[in-house]
Amino acid sequence: MAYGHKTEYRLRSRAQVVLHAARGRSNARIARETGLHLDTVRCWRGRFAERGLGGLRDRERYGRPPSFTALQAAQVKALACRLPAETGVPLSRWSCPELAREVVARAIAGSLSASTVRRWLADDALKPWQHRSWIFITDPDFRTRAERVLDLYARTWQGKALDVDEYVISADEKTSIQARCRCHPTLAPGQARAMRVNHTYGRGGAVAYLAAYDVHAAKVFGRTEPRTGIDPFMALVAQVMSVEPYASAKRVFWIVDNGSSHRGKKAADRLTAAFPNAVMVHTPVHASWLNEVEIYFSVVQRKVVSPNDFTDLTEVGDRLRAFEDRYNATAQPFQWKFTTSDLDDLLARIDRHTTDHQEESSAGPAT
């Protein structure tokens, strides 16, 4: 223990005290040779004499008695799991200082710090100051429409595998990409310094970016237009369907959302009339997250658009087209993992949530 390389330093020092004592040396001499205080030498020498090797270990330390009970901590967590409006507090969401203040006001505890509240909430990973938004399903044909889209991603249509000359295109519009010319030049990053973008800017107009993404080939076709609408969307369709292999393909499935440019049966008939081998497939209402082109748009937002610093709309268009070429040169298909089985699980959870909510509403307050 005194000379082991893996022994803790404090245990090594205590073992050396014992070995010096075994050689018949006095406490004063041991203190000089080990660099310890005389009282420290006397303490560990006495403990070893009483308890042997076990006496060289630290005794259990109980520390200060807890200031709060487990019940008080549970009451604070329960309060954090309720909306402030339900408790009569004019807040949209809780923060740790506000929770501490409310706990004192409710006489749950005489005094409580925000750091203590934060520590209690961290035990159960509670973060009432955060929120996530969601949209409830309103489309009565949600499962049918979503299943068709997911089947196409898996190269299946109406229970049959797609042929090699059948393709799946995901298309949409990214509206209002602004040309914001910063009043001062953007500064490049440096050592221990992030890139700096001036807050004030001059407006240079806005442009719409339309893109069609080949789901299985990871190829993007894009164009910029002054605004969205039927004509710009059909121009995008013509841009894709006029080149091979789509022009001579057996079928080309166009997955789109329910935007005004391609909504409903009229849009599907218009597409088929212009290109007989094109089939329009709509995602469910409020389910654009099922459209893979949205993933590409998120890439464009992070890598091209933000931070927005363009002199004019021409520079915006040139940057987007250059990025398309760069993306198409190295892109791989997205690893889409949401399947029809996941869809069934999602719908089952929503049904359970709806049923439980309806039962709570029908039960009403107890009398």
Side-chain angles (χ1 to χ4, degrees):
M1 185 184 295
Y3 301 103
H5 295 289
K6 296 184 178 180
T7 306
E8 296 182 21
Y9 176 77
R10 55 183 175 178
L11 293 180
R12 186 185 303 174
S13 300
R14 298 165 190 174
Q16 289 174 355
V17 169
V18 174
L19 292 179
H20 282 297
R23 298 186 181 99
R25 296 170 182 173
S26 64
N27 291 344
R29 181 180 176 183
I30 296 174
R32 288 195 305 269
E33 294 185 1
T34 59
L36 299 176
H37 193 275
L38 179 62
D39 292 339
T40 302
V41 173
R42 186 181 295 113
C43 171
W44 294 115
R45 188 173 181 175
R47 286 195 188 180
F48 180 81
E50 295 175 1
R51 300 177 56 190
L53 284 176
L56 299 182
R57 301 285 179 180
D58 289 340
R59 294 175 180 174
E60 185 176 358
R61 300 178 182 179
Y62 297 96
R64 187 180 62 181
S67 303
F68 304 98
T69 64
L71 176 61
Q72 289 174 314
Q75 289 175 322
V76 172
K77 295 177 182 179
L79 181 62
C81 291
R82 299 181 62 189
L83 295 177
E86 296 178 357
T87 62
V89 179
L91 296 173
S92 61
R93 48 188 170 171
W94 290 115
S95 65
C96 291
E98 293 290 352
L99 276 171
R101 185 182 306 173
E102 184 66 16
V103 167
V104 174
R106 290 170 174 261
I108 297 176
S111 62
L112 184 65
S113 66
S115 59
T116 300
V117 173
R118 187 176 296 105
R119 185 173 64 254
W120 287 348
L121 297 183
D123 292 339
D124 292 330
L126 295 174
K127 299 179 181 179
W129 50 88
Q130 295 184 356
H131 76 281
R132 294 179 62 182
S133 60
W134 61 289
I135 298 178
F136 195 80
I137 293 177
T138 58
D139 192 336
D141 300 324
F142 184 91
R143 193 195 184 285
T144 302
R145 291 186 173 187
E147 184 179 21
R148 289 187 300 183
V149 174
L150 296 177
D151 285 345
L152 286 174
Y153 290 159
R155 294 197 60 83
T156 304
W157 177 253
Q158 296 179 350
K160 297 181 180 179
L162 297 182
D163 295 334
V164 293
D165 59 343
E166 293 181 304
Y167 302 91
V168 180
I169 300 293
S170 174
D172 202 2
E173 305 95 353
K174 183 175 179 60
T175 61
S176 190
I177 300 180
Q178 299 186 46
R180 298 175 178 176
C181 183
R182 304 293 169 172
C183 296
H184 295 277
T186 298
L187 300 179
Q191 184 178 7
R193 186 190 71 201
M195 180 175 64
R196 298 181 180 180
V197 182
N198 184 241
H199 179 72
T200 57
Y201 56 86
R203 297 180 184 273
V207 68
Y209 180 47
L210 290 78
Y213 175 74
D214 189 321
V215 171
H216 301 114
K219 186 175 182 180
V220 177
F221 300 86
R223 62 186 300 114
T224 55
E225 297 284 353
R227 60 185 60 85
T228 60
I230 296 176
D231 293 338
F233 176 74
M234 292 305 297
L236 175 67
V237 174
Q239 178 182 340
V240 177
M241 299 299 293
S242 60
V243 299
E244 296 295 344
Y246 312 103
S248 59
K250 179 181 178 181
R251 282 185 300 189
V252 180
F253 296 93
W254 283 76
I255 299 176
V256 296
D257 59 17
N258 295 273
S260 58
S261 304
H262 34 69
R263 180 188 302 159
K265 188 175 182 301
K266 288 185 178 180
D269 294 340
R270 183 168 52 247
L271 178 67
T272 305
F275 302 96
N277 62 337
V279 180
M280 182 172 287
V281 180
H282 289 94
T283 63
V285 177
H286 293 157
S288 294
W289 54 273
L290 285 172
N291 206 350
E292 279 200 15
V293 74
E294 298 292 348
I295 304 177
Y296 171 73
F297 282 149
S298 70
V299 175
V300 170
Q301 179 65 34
R302 288 182 283 109
K303 294 189 175 183
V304 182
V305 177
S306 181
N308 193 315
D309 188 5
F310 300 101
T311 56
D312 51 32
L313 294 179
T314 302
E315 185 178 353
V316 176
D318 294 341
R319 179 80 63 84
L320 290 171
R321 284 185 288 272
F323 179 76
E324 286 176 19
D325 297 336
R326 179 185 180 90
Y327 184 86
N328 290 332
T330 59
Q332 297 292 328
F334 297 129
Q335 296 182 4
W336 187 269
K337 298 182 179 181
F338 190 83
T339 64
T340 52
S341 299
D342 299 321
L343 175 65
D344 291 334
D345 293 340
L346 171 64
L347 295 177
R349 291 199 305 270
I350 293 177
D351 288 340
R352 289 195 299 269
H353 171 79
T354 304
T355 303
D356 295 342
H357 185 71
Q358 289 175 349
E359 291 177 355
E360 293 177 358
S361 301
S362 59
T367 57

